[in-house]
Amino acid sequence: QFASQMTELGNQYKSISIPMFTNNTSESTLEKIFTKYFREEFIQNSNLPLVPSREADLIILGKIDGIKTSVVSYREAEETRESRVTIRIKLKCIQTSDNHVVWQGNLSYYEEYFQDPDPIITLQNRQKAIHFIAQYLAEEVHQRLAAKF
């Protein structure tokens, strides 16, 4: 069923562009991570070729709107055991022939990660959580767009 939905998308549109996301947070690499996962998702699971914006029938514009880290559990009185990172994004899918907004949405997702006495391991755990969120949201958006067409 999923493949047939993407075929329908491909019948209506012949190409797609996913420019670099904009980033409204202080975390400087988020735009690269999200752009990478969104592009990979559409390259691997869609029959639409990824092309520069000036050549595309559809453009997906993404903005990372927020990131928040919160404590989930403690080991001792003030020692964090597990944290949660939550990321919010805003997306628009625009039909280039007339600049019509075909789909737009605000999405957020979170993932938990373990704190470690070694801050480098904690940072790696947090980065894995961020990558998981980006991949999950890319898949979610792809499915929503496939269902729309």
Side-chain angles (χ1 to χ4, degrees):
Q1 179 185 7
F2 188 66
S4 67
Q5 289 173 336
M6 285 315 298
T7 302
E8 290 174 22
L9 179 62
N11 288 339
Q12 190 170 354
Y13 300 104
K14 302 299 180 206
S15 59
I16 192 164
S17 177
I18 304 172
M20 183 68 70
F21 276 47
T22 58
N23 185 357
N24 289 357
T25 74
S26 59
E27 191 132 350
S28 64
T29 61
L30 289 180
E31 68 279 6
K32 293 174 186 167
I33 293 168
F34 274 77
T35 303
K36 171 188 174 287
Y37 280 102
F38 272 75
R39 286 177 177 169
E40 285 178 359
E41 174 64 26
F42 279 84
I43 287 169
Q44 292 172 4
N45 297 310
S46 162
N47 61 340
L48 297 177
L50 190 66
V51 299
S53 295
R54 67 185 176 280
E55 300 171 21
D57 294 327
L58 287 174
I59 299 176
I60 295 177
L61 299 175
K63 176 169 56 173
I64 298 135
D65 201 38
I67 184 168
K68 182 177 100 176
T69 302
S70 54
V71 175
V72 175
S73 65
Y74 294 96
R75 265 187 272 262
E76 302 285 326
E78 302 249 343
E79 187 180 354
T80 303
R81 173 181 154 81
E82 194 173 12
S83 293
R84 173 182 294 155
V85 61
T86 304
I87 299 176
R88 285 187 329 270
I89 62 173
K90 291 184 177 184
L91 295 162
K92 275 187 188 178
C93 184
I94 300 171
Q95 180 175 288
T96 59
S97 62
D98 58 3
N99 287 330
H100 172 69
V101 176
V102 176
W103 180 86
Q104 64 183 345
N106 300 323
L107 296 105
S108 68
Y109 200 70
Y110 66 87
E111 180 67 2
E112 294 163 358
Y113 62 95
F114 288 105
Q115 297 283 337
D116 192 274
D118 183 341
I120 292 173
I121 292 174
T122 296
L123 182 60
Q124 289 171 342
N125 291 345
R126 186 173 187 271
Q127 284 300 312
K128 286 178 189 172
I130 289 170
H131 282 260
F132 178 84
I133 293 167
Q135 183 175 14
Y136 174 84
L137 288 174
E139 291 170 0
E140 177 70 19
V141 168
H142 181 248
Q143 290 175 5
R144 287 184 186 198
L145 284 175
K148 179 164 179 51
F149 300 103

